[in-house]
Amino acid sequence: MKEKINRIVSESEEQFLKEYRQEKYEKPSVAADIVIFTVTEGERVSYRRLPEKELRILLIRRGGHPFKDYWALPGGFVQSDETVESAAQRELSEETGVRCDYLEQLYTFSTPGRDPRTWVMSCAHMALIDSDKIDIRAGDDAADAAWFKLAAREMKGKTILSLTRGGLEIKAELKRAGRPPDYEIINNTGLAFDHAKIILYALERLRYKLEYTSVAFHLLPGQFTLTELQQIYEVVLGKQLLAPAFRRKMTPLVEETDIFEGETGHRPSRLYRKKSDINEKDS
Amino acid sequence: MKEKINRIVSESEEQFLKEYRQEKYEKPSVAADIVIFTVTEGERVSYRRLPEKELRILLIRRGGHPFKDYWALPGGFVQSDETVESAAQRELSEETGVRCDYLEQLYTFSTPGRDPRTWVMSCAHMALIDSDKIDIRAGDDAADAAWFKLAAREMKGKTILSLTRGGLEIKAELKRAGRPPDYEIINNTGLAFDHAKIILYALERLRYKLEYTSVAFHLLPGQFTLTELQQIYEVVLGKQLLAPAFRRKMTPLVEETDIFEGETGHRPSRLYRKKSDINEKDS
DNA sequence: GAAATAGTGTCTCTGAGACATTATATG
DNA sequence: CATATAATGTCTCAGAGACACTATTTC
C-alpha cells in the first residue's frame, strides 16, 4: 500500500461539500414496486387428478402516458415517514387486501432514463401470498389489475418471459448481461418501463430461495398435502420432481395432521402443516 | 377471489395523483455506501509459517456533525446520470485508486430518521479487492480513511462486531430482528449512522457467497497457493477448514501453474490460478 | 534427521436420484 | 378387479468430514 497523499481539501470542507451537494443537487423519486406471486389452481382435467397449479403475478394496466395501456407492476412512491418495505406493504394491501406475511426487498433499479419523464429509482420487492387469502379487486375482465400466469423458458442463452391471462399474452425476451439482475431487454410486447427485468429477477430469486429456504409455505394455506407442496415447487421451478426424494427432503420441515383429503377416487392423502420451529433462512 | 369493487377514482385520475405526488412531495437523497473488503497479511510469526490473514474494511472518519469523529463507510450521493452501482464504483476508485472488478448491490436501507439531518436512503454495496492492488490513501495514522480489521462473534443470540486498527477498537453489538438485514443495534461505540447494520449484513452476505460461488478469487492476486485460498475462506468464515476436503472442492475451479513458492523451509507449494471458464453464480 | 508444511489416499456417513413396491380409495 | 394416486423401501452414486499417510523443503 502506498503512502497517503496529503489531502488538498480539509475534512470540514469535504463535509460541507457533501452537504451542499445534498441540498442543491437534484434528488430522485423512489418507487417501491412489487412482484406479487401466488399459485392458483388451473383447470380440473379429471375427477381424480389434482388440477395443475399455475404461477401468477399481479399487473396493473397503465391509464396514462408513458406506456399507456402497457402493464406494470403494482407500486408507488415512498414517503418520508416509512421504509421502502412499508411502502411496498401498503401498496400490496391496497391492491390485494392482504397483509402479506412474506415480503422481501430485492434490488434497487436505477438506470438513468428508465422512466422517460424524470429521475425515478425503483426499489423492487417480491411478495408471496396464498391465493385463498386474496380479497382481490383484480378478478374480472374490466379491471385495471389482473393476475397473469407467468412462464419462463430458456432458449439459446435468452430467456422468454410469457405472461398470459385469458386470450391476452405479453411476451418479453431478455438476455443476461453480467450477473443478475443485469439483463438486456431484447424485445417486449406489453410490459411498462424495465419491469420485464424486475419480473425475471424476482422469478430467479424465488427459484433460488425455494431450493434452500422454506418460503414455499407462504404460497399455501396452513394445511396442505405433500403433493400440493410438490406442485408449488414444480410450477415455480418449471420442472418435474421425483416424489420420494421430495418427500424425504420436506419431512423435517412439516408435521402430520390427523386430517385426510377425501373423495379422491384413490388412497386419500394426509394433510400436513409447517412445523412451527422452522424459520426461513437468510438471503 | 372476490369480485372487483368499482373504483371511485378513474384510471387517469389515479395516474394524475401519482404524478402529482411525484412533483410535489418530498424526495429522498440517495447515497451509495460501500463495504470494501480486502484480506491482508498479519504478523509473520515464524520464518516457515505463512502469516495469518486478516479481513479488513475501509472506514472514513467523519469531520463534521452529526457523528463527528465517528467512523463511517465510504460513500456519496448518487447523481442523476449514473446508476447507484456507478456511484459506488466512483467513490471506491476515489478512495482506493482501484477499479474494482467485484462490486455488488446489497440492499437499500431506508428507516426514517437514519440520518438525523434529512431524508437519506443508503443503497449499500459490497466490494472485494485484492490488497496488492490498493493504491491507498489510507495507510498511515494521520489519514481520515483507514483499513480496520473486522471480526464478528456470536454470543447468546447477539453478534458483536469488532473493528480494530492499531490501538483503536470500535465495537457494536447487534441482535437479529427478523430476516437479515433487519438488525437492532444494542450498542455501538464508534460507527456512524446505521453503518453497523450495513457492515454486519455485508459480512453475512460475503460468508454466504463464499460457500456457493467463487467470489473469493477477487480477494487474491491472479496466482496463489491453495493454502492461501484456504486462508481467505478461514478468515472470512471465522473457522478452520480441513485441507483435503477444501482442496477437493476447489480442484474443479482452479488450474495448476508451473510455478512454485520457494524459500519456505518445507515442501514448496504450487501456485494455481482461477480457471477462465468459472464465473460467479447468481445472487 | 528434525521440523514444518504441501499434498494425497481412503474410510465412512449422508443425502439425492432412480425406480420398484405396497396401500387405499372409487367405480 | 381395474385404475389412479399416496406413500414407502431400497439400490446406487456423489460429495464431505475425518484422519492417516507420503513428499519435499530448510536448518
Side-chain angles (χ1 to χ4, degrees):
Chain A
M1 296 185 188
K2 295 191 196 159
E3 201 150 320
K4 177 188 158 70
I5 297 151
N6 277 324
R7 303 189 68 98
I8 296 140
V9 227
S10 72
E11 327 297 19
S12 56
E13 200 173 335
E14 188 200 27
Q15 193 56 35
F16 168 78
L17 286 172
K18 286 207 175 174
E19 284 178 11
Y20 175 82
R21 201 191 280 170
Q22 181 191 326
E23 290 292 324
K24 297 291 179 185
Y25 276 51
E26 196 188 348
K27 295 175 188 174
S29 299
V30 176
D33 290 324
I34 332 160
V35 182
I36 310 172
F37 288 104
T38 198
V39 174
T40 59
E41 310 220 317
E43 292 283 294
R44 188 157 210 114
V45 280
S46 120
Y47 78 100
R48 295 216 242 202
R49 172 171 261 135
L50 268 176
E52 296 270 308
K53 304 257 182 195
E54 293 174 345
L55 179 64
R56 294 184 175 269
I57 65 172
L58 187 67
L59 295 177
I60 314 276
R61 187 163 48 204
R62 286 183 54 79
H65 292 290
F67 294 102
K68 184 165 156 55
D69 296 326
Y70 280 56
W71 293 85
L73 292 170
F77 291 103
V78 182
Q79 293 160 19
S80 62
D81 60 349
E82 60 183 1
T83 62
V84 285
E85 290 85 353
S86 324
Q89 185 68 256
R90 181 170 47 74
E91 294 290 334
L92 179 115
S93 304
E94 281 171 22
E95 294 294 345
T96 65
V98 177
R99 208 212 156 283
C100 179
D101 52 346
Y102 191 84
L103 177 74
E104 181 191 343
Q105 191 195 113
L106 293 180
Y107 192 79
T108 299
F109 290 81
S110 63
T111 308
R114 55 177 295 285
D115 187 316
R117 290 166 298 184
T118 165
W119 186 18
V120 184
M121 293 184 186
S122 168
C123 191
H125 294 74
M126 157 173 111
L128 306 182
I129 59 185
D130 164 19
S131 62
D132 289 356
K133 294 210 188 80
I134 300 170
D135 160 28
I136 192 57
R137 303 144 174 69
D140 66 317
D141 275 303
D144 62 336
W147 291 94
F148 282 74
K149 179 175 168 182
L150 173 62
R153 67 174 200 279
E154 296 280 323
M155 258 184 63
K156 304 175 204 153
K158 294 175 201 164
T159 303
I160 294 154
L161 279 188
S162 158
L163 290 147
T164 52
R165 169 193 163 238
L168 178 59
E169 177 170 23
I170 299 172
K171 277 197 180 188
E173 198 177 332
L174 300 102
K175 204 172 68 180
R176 290 176 66 139
R179 289 193 306 276
D182 288 343
Y183 312 103
E184 185 194 333
I185 299 178
I186 299 169
N187 63 62
N188 167 28
T189 64
L191 287 169
F193 306 105
D194 53 1
H195 289 188
K197 291 184 193 179
I198 301 182
I199 293 166
L200 178 55
Y201 184 54
L203 179 62
E204 292 203 6
R205 254 296 248 276
L206 176 59
R207 286 180 172 174
Y208 218 87
K209 287 231 145 180
L210 225 51
E211 310 263 21
Y212 68 94
T213 71
S214 53
V215 292
F217 296 111
H218 293 293
L219 294 167
L220 282 170
Q223 297 189 340
F224 47 83
T225 68
L226 289 181
T227 306
E228 282 179 307
L229 184 59
Q230 185 172 342
Q231 282 185 311
I232 298 279
Y233 274 76
E234 289 179 339
V235 73
V236 171
L237 299 176
K239 66 180 181 198
Q240 301 289 107
L241 300 174
L242 289 168
F246 182 80
R247 302 177 83 91
R248 264 193 311 244
K249 203 163 83 173
M250 291 301 142
T251 302
L253 307 180
V254 297
E255 56 191 17
E256 295 184 350
T257 69
D258 296 328
I259 310 164
F260 290 82
E261 198 111 279
E263 298 163 34
T264 52
H266 51 75
R267 176 170 171 179
S269 50
R270 187 187 285 274
L271 293 181
Y272 291 78
R273 63 172 156 254
K274 183 181 168 189
K275 265 192 195 162
S276 53
D277 58 339
I278 301 293
N279 310 315
E280 283 95 38
K281 293 188 217 102
D282 327 358
S283 96
Chain B
M1 294 186 190
K2 293 190 197 163
E3 202 148 318
K4 175 187 158 70
I5 298 149
N6 278 325
R7 303 188 68 99
I8 297 142
V9 228
S10 73
E11 327 296 17
S12 56
E13 199 173 335
E14 188 199 28
Q15 194 56 36
F16 167 78
L17 286 172
K18 286 204 174 176
E19 285 177 10
Y20 175 84
R21 203 192 281 173
Q22 183 190 327
E23 292 289 324
K24 297 291 178 185
Y25 275 51
E26 196 189 348
K27 295 174 187 173
S29 299
V30 177
D33 290 324
I34 332 160
V35 182
I36 309 172
F37 289 104
T38 197
V39 174
T40 59
E41 310 218 316
E43 291 284 295
R44 189 156 210 116
V45 280
S46 121
Y47 76 101
R48 296 214 241 203
R49 171 170 263 131
L50 268 176
E52 296 271 307
K53 304 257 183 196
E54 293 173 346
L55 179 65
R56 292 183 175 270
I57 66 172
L58 187 67
L59 295 177
I60 314 276
R61 187 165 45 206
R62 286 182 56 79
H65 291 288
F67 294 103
K68 183 164 155 55
D69 296 325
Y70 280 56
W71 293 85
L73 292 170
F77 291 103
V78 182
Q79 292 159 21
S80 62
D81 60 349
E82 60 183 1
T83 62
V84 285
E85 290 85 354
S86 325
Q89 185 68 256
R90 181 168 49 74
E91 294 288 335
L92 180 112
S93 305
E94 282 172 20
E95 295 293 345
T96 65
V98 177
R99 209 213 153 282
C100 178
D101 52 347
Y102 190 84
L103 178 74
E104 181 192 342
Q105 192 196 115
L106 293 180
Y107 191 80
T108 300
F109 290 81
S110 63
T111 307
R114 55 176 295 285
D115 187 316
R117 291 165 298 184
T118 166
W119 187 18
V120 184
M121 294 183 185
S122 167
C123 191
H125 294 73
M126 157 172 111
L128 305 182
I129 59 185
D130 165 19
S131 61
D132 289 358
K133 294 211 189 80
I134 300 170
D135 160 28
I136 192 56
R137 302 145 175 71
D140 67 316
D141 275 306
D144 63 335
W147 291 95
F148 282 74
K149 178 174 168 183
L150 173 62
R153 67 174 198 281
E154 296 280 324
M155 258 184 62
K156 302 176 207 155
K158 296 174 199 163
T159 304
I160 294 154
L161 280 187
S162 158
L163 290 147
T164 52
R165 168 193 164 239
L168 179 58
E169 177 171 22
I170 298 173
K171 278 198 180 185
E173 197 177 333
L174 299 101
K175 204 172 67 180
R176 292 177 65 141
R179 289 192 305 274
D182 287 343
Y183 312 104
E184 185 194 332
I185 298 178
I186 299 170
N187 62 62
N188 166 29
T189 65
L191 287 169
F193 306 105
D194 52 2
H195 289 188
K197 291 185 193 178
I198 301 182
I199 293 167
L200 178 55
Y201 184 55
L203 179 61
E204 292 203 4
R205 256 295 249 275
L206 176 59
R207 286 182 172 173
Y208 218 85
K209 287 230 146 179
L210 226 51
E211 310 263 21
Y212 68 97
T213 71
S214 54
V215 292
F217 296 110
H218 294 292
L219 293 166
L220 283 170
Q223 298 188 339
F224 46 83
T225 68
L226 289 182
T227 306
E228 282 180 306
L229 184 58
Q230 186 173 339
Q231 282 184 311
I232 298 278
Y233 273 76
E234 290 179 340
V235 73
V236 172
L237 299 177
K239 66 180 181 195
Q240 301 289 108
L241 301 175
L242 291 169
F246 182 79
R247 301 175 85 89
R248 264 192 313 244
K249 202 162 85 174
M250 290 301 141
T251 302
L253 308 180
V254 296
E255 56 193 16
E256 295 183 351
T257 69
D258 296 327
I259 311 164
F260 290 81
E261 197 111 280
E263 299 163 34
T264 51
H266 51 76
R267 175 171 173 179
S269 50
R270 188 187 284 274
L271 293 181
Y272 291 79
R273 63 172 155 254
K274 183 183 168 187
K275 265 191 195 161
S276 53
D277 58 340
I278 300 294
N279 310 315
E280 282 95 38
K281 291 187 220 104
D282 328 355
S283 96

